[in-house]
């Protein structure tokens, strides 16, 4: 079978093995794990079932949502490969993620991202009322507010995820890690293309705010609590309010790692002469 199918099968088999182990160790979870994971024949079906139950309401039924999600995942290989890449991202980058099944069941950053991908697909198919309704439920349930038009790559980690806001014309590249209470917003002054463009491999720390149609270069790092209003060059670190480049604007310090994957938040401090306690 193709490599992507082999990877899908490998991850799904791991998820089932983990769920079986946990059901045996904790009988109180056995029924939940069976209905959510072990009774399903594929990750697509398990994820669709879980998202349907998470996002349903008295007027937006879980069965309707299950069919909606399953149709999207089963018909679009990009959605399936993105889900696998996101699972791997959480497992590899977050030391608190003890298993793939833990991420699938409990990580609202992962779940909100997969649900957003379906909302985005609906948006691109001109099914905008349904896309907006789904986006609203995602915000209600997961406290993650992503406009369905926003474009998001693969290998994404929304770590903790609470309070993340992503505007309509924002673009997030591949292998990006974003912590809680991050805003990718507009300035309130202009319409049209008005939200940030986040390059591959970027790390955005907790509470950071990036406003306007600015570009965060590949492999850049945005420190926690920073406010960014202008472009940030690739492989550099921006910190502060307003944010400035570590090493200075003319010759900013460059790093070799990919912070979106390494999750290194603090290495710049030893090189930052103005850092005082």
């Amino acid at each position: 079978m193709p490599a992507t199918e082999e990877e899908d099968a490998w991850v799904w088999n791991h998820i089932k093995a983990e769920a079986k182990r946990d059901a045996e160790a904790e009988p109180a979870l056995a029924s939940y794990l069976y209905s959510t994971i072990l009774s399903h024949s594929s990750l697509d079906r398990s994820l669709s079932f879980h998202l349907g139950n998470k996002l349903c309401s008295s007027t937006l039924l879980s069965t309707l949502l299950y069919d909606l999600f399953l149709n999207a995942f089963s018909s679009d290989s990009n959605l399936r490969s993105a889900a696998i890449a996101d699972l791997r991202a959480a497992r590899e980058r977050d030391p608190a993620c003890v298993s793939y099944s833990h991420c699938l069941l409990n990580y609202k950053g992962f779940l909100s991202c997969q649900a957003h991908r379906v909302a985005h697909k609906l948006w691109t198919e001109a099914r905008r009322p349904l896309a907006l309704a789904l986006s609203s439920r995602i915000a209600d349930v997961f406290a993650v507010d992503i406009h369905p038009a926003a474009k998001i790559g693969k290998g994404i980690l929304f770590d903790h995820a609470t309070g993340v806001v992503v505007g309509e014309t924002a673009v997030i590249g591949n292998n990006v890690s974003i912590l809680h209470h991050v805003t990718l917003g507009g300035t309130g002054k202009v319409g049209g293309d008005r939200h940030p463009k986040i390059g591959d491999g970027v790390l955005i720390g907790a509470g950071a705010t990036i406003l306007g149609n600015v570009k965060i270069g590949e492999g850049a790092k945005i420190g926690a609590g920073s406010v960014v209003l202008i472009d940030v060059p690739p492989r550099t670190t921006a910190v502060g309010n307003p944010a400035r480049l570590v090493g200075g604007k003319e010759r900013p310090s460059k790093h070799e790692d990919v912070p979106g994957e390494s999750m290194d938040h603090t290495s710049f401090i030893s090189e930052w002469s103005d850092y005082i306690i």
Side-chain angles (χ1 to χ4, degrees):
M1 66 178 66
T4 54
E5 292 184 17
E6 288 181 356
E7 185 177 27
D8 289 0
W10 186 89
V11 171
W12 176 235
N13 286 334
H14 266 66
I15 290 172
K16 288 191 296 182
E18 292 163 356
K20 184 177 180 181
R21 176 202 65 200
D22 292 344
E24 292 172 350
E26 186 53 78
L29 291 176
S31 179
Y32 170 60
L33 291 169
Y34 178 79
S35 63
T36 307
I37 293 176
L38 296 172
S39 66
H40 299 282
S41 59
S42 67
L43 177 59
D44 298 349
R45 291 181 177 276
S46 173
L47 180 57
S48 298
F49 178 85
H50 193 39
L51 286 174
N53 282 330
K54 285 282 189 179
L55 295 172
C56 68
S57 68
S58 59
T59 54
L60 199 59
L61 301 182
S62 61
T63 51
L64 182 151
L65 289 174
Y66 172 75
D67 289 340
L68 177 69
F69 287 125
L70 184 58
N71 180 66
F73 288 121
S74 61
S75 65
D76 192 333
S77 61
N78 288 325
L79 294 184
R80 298 195 299 274
S81 63
I84 294 293
D86 294 350
L87 280 167
R88 285 190 174 277
R91 187 72 181 93
E92 293 167 5
R93 298 177 208 164
D94 184 359
C97 186
V98 297
S99 66
Y100 290 107
S101 61
H102 173 47
C103 178
L104 171 63
L105 294 173
N106 302 320
Y107 270 39
K108 67 180 184 178
F110 169 77
L111 294 170
S112 61
C113 190
Q114 309 323 304
H116 163 75
R117 296 188 199 284
V118 175
H120 180 70
K121 179 178 175 65
L122 294 170
W123 184 268
T124 61
E125 294 172 348
R127 302 176 68 184
R128 296 188 173 184
L130 183 55
L132 290 167
L134 181 55
S135 179
S136 177
R137 285 299 297 162
I138 295 168
D140 290 344
V141 173
F142 298 125
V144 176
D145 194 342
I146 308 174
H147 193 283
K151 300 176 182 178
I152 298 180
K154 300 178 180 180
I156 303 301
L157 174 61
F158 287 139
D159 195 357
H160 298 286
T162 300
V164 167
V165 176
V166 180
E168 179 181 9
T169 60
V171 178
I172 299 174
N174 299 316
N175 302 315
V176 171
S177 294
I178 297 176
L179 275 84
H180 52 288
H181 290 292
V182 165
T183 297
L184 306 181
T187 63
K189 296 181 180 179
V190 295
D193 193 359
R194 62 196 184 279
H195 295 106
K197 310 299 182 282
I198 310 301
D200 294 348
V202 168
L203 171 62
I204 306 178
T209 299
I210 306 173
L211 300 178
N213 186 15
V214 299
K215 183 176 181 180
I216 309 302
E218 177 182 352
K221 185 189 304 184
I222 310 299
S226 300
V227 176
V228 179
L229 303 174
I230 59 176
D231 292 355
V232 175
R235 302 283 177 171
T236 62
T237 300
V239 293
N241 181 6
R244 57 194 179 90
L245 297 178
V246 172
K249 181 178 180 181
E250 299 304 321
R251 299 184 65 182
S253 301
K254 296 291 186 83
H255 48 258
E256 297 299 325
D257 69 321
V258 180
E261 298 178 14
S262 69
M263 302 296 288
D264 182 355
H265 291 261
T266 60
S267 61
F268 67 89
I269 291 177
S270 62
E271 304 168 6
W272 192 20
S273 61
D274 292 341
Y275 185 75
I276 300 172
I277 295 180

